[in-house]
Amino acid sequence: MLTAATIIYFILAFLFGPLWPLSMFAKAGLLGKLIVVAWGALLIAGLNN
């Protein structure tokens, strides 16, 4: 799961910049917030494994 979270981070960082979680959570609509929350959950699940 950590590998998937890392790959997703780098793909979205290439498209939106390295601080995409902060900017997407602050400026995007509901879908952007859901993407950041899902990515964060995937990251936390990967770190717990």
Side-chain angles (χ1 to χ4, degrees), residues 12 19 22 40:
L12 291 175
L19 296 176
L22 297 175

Side-chain angles (χ1 to χ4, degrees), residues 8-44:
I8 291 169
Y9 176 82
F10 282 119
I11 290 171
L12 291 175
F14 181 72
L15 295 173
F16 300 114
L19 296 176
W20 69 265
L22 297 175
S23 64
M24 189 175 284
F25 194 79
K27 296 178 185 174
L30 180 62
L31 183 60
K33 287 180 177 40
L34 289 175
I35 290 171
V36 173
V37 168
W39 175 79
L42 191 64
L43 181 65
I44 291 171

